[in-house]
C-alpha cells in the first residue's frame, strides 16, 4: 500500500454508516426493496470521496477487544457472525486484501496517543465490514483493515481514538465507523418509529446542526438524549460514530443517508464529517 501525501489530494472525510442487518447484500431475493435506499447511499460514497482511497480503516460494531486491536492479516478470512440466515449466506466472500503495513501504522498512531493498541494477525472480516463494503466497493479491490472497539465502550476513549488516527486522512486512508444509528433488536418495526425518530432527531442536531466544538461534548452525554437507551440498550452500534467524529473534530458534519420507514418503521441515518 502506498500513501498519497500530495497537496493535490486533500484529506479524506470520515463516515459513520448504518450497516444494515446480517448479510443483506446476498439476500436481495428474500429482502425485496428493504435495503434499496441504504444500498444506494453506500454505493454513492466513492463518488462523494472523488478518488479511490489507498485503503479503508473500518471500525465495526461487531468487534470489541480489551485493547484497541488492529487486523493484521494480508488476506483476512470471513467471520459469519450472524444466525438464522439462509445457508448460502455462510459461504459468501468479500475478498479485499488486508494491509499489514497499514495495521502497523494504525497501532503506532494509537500507541503514540497513550492508548492501548495491539495487532491480531488472525482476525477475519465481520459482517459490519463486508455487508456495507459489498455496496461501497463491490469489486473488493480496495484494501480494508478493521479496528476494534475497546471493551467498556467509553465515548471519551473512542473520541480520543479518532483523534489519534486522524493523520491517516492525509495519507489517503478512509476512516469508516460502521454501526447503526438505531439498534434495539427487541423493538424493531413500526412500533419503534417514535423512539427511533426521537433519538435520530437528537443525533442529527448533535452532529450536524451544533458547532463542531459542541458536538463532541454532546456525544459524551449521548445517553442523556431523548430515547437514548431505547435506541441503544447497549451502545456498541453507536460508538463507531465517536471514532469518526474524533478523527474529524472541528470539521463540519453532514447527514448523507436518512430513512424514516426502514424495516417497516425505523428512522435511521448515516453521516459524513470533513472532506
Amino acid at each position: 500500500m502506498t500513501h498519497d501525501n500530495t497537496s493535490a489530494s486533500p484529506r479524506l472525510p470520515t463516515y459513520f454508516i448504518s450497516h444494515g442487518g446480517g448479510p443483506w447484500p446476498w439476500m436481495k431475493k428474500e429482502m425485496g426493496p428493504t435495503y434499496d435506499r441504504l444500498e444506494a447511499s453506500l454505493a454513492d460514497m466513492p463518488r462523494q470521496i472523488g478518488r479511490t482511497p489507498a485503503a479503508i480503516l473500518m471500525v465495526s460494531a461487531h468487534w470489541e477487544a480489551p485493547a484497541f486491536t488492529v487486523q493484521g492479516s494480508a488476506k483476512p478470512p470471513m467471520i459469519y457472525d450472524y444466525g438464522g440466515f439462509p445457508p448460502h449466506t455462510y459461504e459468501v466472500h468479500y475478498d479485499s486484501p488486508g494491509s499489514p503495513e497499514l495495521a502497523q501504522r494504525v497501532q503506532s498512531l494509537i500507541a503514540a496517543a497513550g492508548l492501548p493498541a495491539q495487532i491480531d494477525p488472525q482476525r477475519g472480516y465481520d459482517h459490519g465490514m463486508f455487508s456495507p463494503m459489498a455496496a461501497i466497493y463491490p469489486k473488493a479491490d480496495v484494501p480494508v483493515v478493521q479496528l476494534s472497539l475497546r471493551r467498556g465502550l467509553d465515548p471519551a476513549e473512542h473520541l480520543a481514538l479518532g483523534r489519534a488516527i486522524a493523520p491517516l486522512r492525509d495519507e489517503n486512508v478512509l476512516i469508516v465507523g460502521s454501526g447503526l444509528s438505531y439498534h434495539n433488536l427487541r423493538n424493531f418495526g413500526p412500533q419503534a418509529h417514535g423512539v427511533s425518530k426521537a433519538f435520530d432527531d437528537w443525533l442529527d442536531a448533535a452532529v450536524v446542526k451544533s458547532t463542531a466544538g459542541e458536538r463532541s461534548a454532546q456525544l459524551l452525554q449521548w445517553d442523556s438524549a431523548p430515547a437514548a437507551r431505547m435506541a441503544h440498550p447497549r451502545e456498541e452500534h453507536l460508538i463507531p460514530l465517536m471514532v469518526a467524529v474524533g478523527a474529524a473534530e472541528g470539521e463540519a458534519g453532514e447527514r448523507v443517508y436518512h430513512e424514516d420507514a426502514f424495516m417497516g418503521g425505523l428512522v435511521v441515518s448515516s453521516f459524513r464529517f470533513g472532506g
Side-chain angles (χ1 to χ4, degrees), residues 202 205-207 209-211 213-223:
W202 174 85
V207 303
K209 294 167 184 164
S210 61
T211 68
E214 294 168 343
R215 182 171 63 206
S216 294
Q218 291 193 52
L219 289 178
L220 289 174
Q221 306 297 325
W222 75 269
D223 58 354

Side-chain angles (χ1 to χ4, degrees), residues 91-103:
E91 299 174 5
V92 302
H93 272 264
Y94 186 85
D95 290 326
S96 59
S99 174
E101 178 192 353
L102 177 58

Side-chain angles (χ1 to χ4, degrees), residues 141-155:
D141 51 358
V142 177
V144 183
V145 171
Q146 283 195 225
L147 169 61
S148 79
L149 302 173
R150 189 177 184 206
R151 286 180 193 159
L153 304 177
D154 178 12

Side-chain angles (χ1 to χ4, degrees), residues 49 75 190:
I49 296 161
K75 187 172 173 48

